């Protein structure tokens, strides 16, 4: 079939560039106390079972897409986005308050949170800050640039374009988030040795997706995830990062 033939061609190209995947390998590392460790003869699956945080099947993708074509508390997928054999994109669309609650609960349990956002908006790369209040385009240019999150998605002004890791949060006296600590992948020269700080205002406006463990979800949400998802068009903003 054409799909299998193309996959074989891509596999051949990757092998030419990086070598054929090994069946066993040695894993060397230093722990936080700088002590040296080595494990020899590991298979990829042995490494996965020992060094990853549980079964990836236990994690679910939650999005915040407040547009009329995506009612909350329903699941969605994107047509033609089957870019992994045996895998399928499935999103549970929730209000922002619920997305934040799930994110906070996982952080409080000592686990980071993978998330997708629009990192091109209101960011200071060198300083490592994302905050709409750091910029005053309207005052400078005398124009109103305000759009709701729904309008930004509908007009394609914003969409997910980068994945990062939330590894901390600053809370106020009422346990509400003020700032989020983010581990980025742009090297140590960006931000504070690669770490960024995002205001909660930016999080609400430009965070669209988080990955959380299913144990934090309500029963009705787990049941919704088992239902056939609504299929979105290939050009939908929710398909840009995946």
């Amino acid at each position: 079939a054409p799909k299998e033939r193309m996959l074989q061609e891509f596999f051949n190209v990757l092998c030419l560039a990086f070598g054929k995947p090994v069946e066993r390998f040695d894993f060397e590392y230093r722990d936080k106390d700088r002590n040296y460790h080595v494990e020899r003869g590991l298979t990829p699956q042995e490494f996965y079972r020992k060094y990853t945080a549980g079964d990836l099947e236990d994690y679910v993708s939650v999005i915040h897409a407040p547009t009329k074509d995506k009612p909350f508390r329903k699941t969605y997928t994107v047509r033609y986005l089957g870019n992994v054999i045996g895998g399928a994109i499935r999103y549970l669309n929730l209000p922002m308050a619920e997305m934040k609650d799930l994110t906070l609960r996982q952080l409080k349990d000592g686990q980071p949170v993978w998330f997708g956002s629009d990192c091109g908006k209101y960011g200071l790369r060198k300083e490592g800050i994302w905050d709409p209040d750091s910029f005053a385009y309207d005052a400078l240019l005398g124009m109103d640039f305000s759009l709701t999150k729904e309008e930004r998605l509908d007009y394609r002004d914003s969409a997910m374009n980068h994945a990062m890791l939330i590894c901390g949060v600053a809370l106020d006296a009422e346990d509400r988030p003020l700032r989020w600590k983010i581990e980025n992948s742009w090297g140590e020269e960006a931000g504070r040795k690669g770490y960024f700080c995002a205001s909660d205002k930016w999080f609400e406006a430009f965070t669209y997706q988080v990955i959380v463990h299913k144990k934090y979800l309500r029963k009705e949400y787990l049941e919704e995830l088992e239902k056939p998802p609504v299929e979105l068009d290939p050009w939908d903003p929710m398909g840009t990062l995946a």
Side-chain angles (χ1 to χ4, degrees):
K3 185 174 183 179
E4 282 69 27
R5 185 172 65 252
M6 291 176 66
L7 286 171
Q8 185 62 55
E9 291 174 352
F10 287 131
F11 179 78
N12 292 341
V13 170
L14 291 172
C15 286
L16 288 171
F18 301 108
K20 187 176 180 180
V22 298
E23 294 182 3
R24 292 185 177 274
F25 62 93
D26 298 338
F27 177 46
E28 301 177 72
Y29 67 96
R30 290 187 182 275
D31 60 27
K32 63 181 180 180
D33 298 319
R34 304 298 298 166
N35 295 315
Y36 173 79
H37 301 268
V38 60
E39 289 205 50
R40 302 193 184 279
L42 286 172
T43 67
Q45 288 199 2
E46 288 171 345
F47 179 86
Y48 165 75
R49 286 192 293 268
K50 185 168 183 177
Y51 289 102
T52 57
D55 192 341
L56 295 181
E57 294 294 328
D58 290 335
Y59 288 82
V60 298
S61 178
V62 173
I63 61 170
H64 179 245
T67 52
K68 292 181 177 60
D69 63 330
K70 302 181 189 69
F72 286 135
R73 302 179 178 89
K74 300 292 183 182
T75 54
Y76 301 88
T77 189
V78 181
R79 192 180 309 140
Y80 306 135
L81 204 60
N83 59 344
V84 176
I85 293 179
I89 295 296
R90 181 165 296 200
Y91 299 133
L92 174 64
N93 194 20
L94 294 180
M96 176 52 69
E98 294 188 50
M99 174 186 274
K100 278 189 189 179
D101 178 66
L102 293 169
T103 303
L104 288 173
R105 290 173 66 187
Q106 186 157 302
L107 286 173
K108 289 179 178 180
D109 280 348
Q111 295 297 320
V113 178
W114 183 103
F115 78 111
S117 66
D118 181 355
C119 71
K121 297 292 193 294
Y122 300 103
L124 295 169
R125 185 181 183 115
K126 181 179 178 181
E127 292 80 2
I129 295 173
W130 277 297
D131 184 3
D133 291 336
S134 295
F135 299 81
Y137 296 129
D138 50 353
L140 175 65
L141 302 173
M143 297 176 64
D144 182 6
F145 289 92
S146 60
L147 290 172
T148 66
K149 195 169 187 177
E150 178 183 10
E151 290 169 338
R152 282 192 292 269
L153 288 170
D154 283 340
Y155 298 145
R156 301 302 192 266
D157 177 74
S158 179
M160 292 188 287
N161 55 33
H162 190 44
M164 297 177 285
L165 201 64
I166 301 173
C167 52
V169 63
L171 302 172
D172 66 12
E174 298 181 3
D175 216 32
R176 294 174 301 194
L178 299 170
R179 301 176 301 279
W180 303 83
K181 183 179 180 181
I182 296 169
E183 183 178 359
N184 205 347
S185 58
W186 293 346
E188 292 193 356
E189 297 302 315
R192 298 190 177 185
K193 292 188 177 298
Y195 287 87
F196 283 61
C197 179
S199 69
D200 189 59
K201 184 176 181 179
W202 183 90
F203 183 97
E204 287 194 355
F206 300 110
T207 293
Y208 296 104
Q209 179 183 13
V210 297
I211 303 295
V212 295
H213 198 283
K214 65 182 182 183
K215 67 183 179 181
Y216 302 113
L217 268 65
R218 301 192 326 226
K219 180 181 178 182
E220 56 264 37
Y221 292 165
L222 295 175
E223 293 173 349
E224 177 63 29
L225 283 163
E226 296 300 320
K227 299 177 182 178
V230 176
E231 194 172 61
L232 303 174
D233 290 325
W235 48 84
D236 190 274
M238 289 301 107
T240 55
L241 184 59

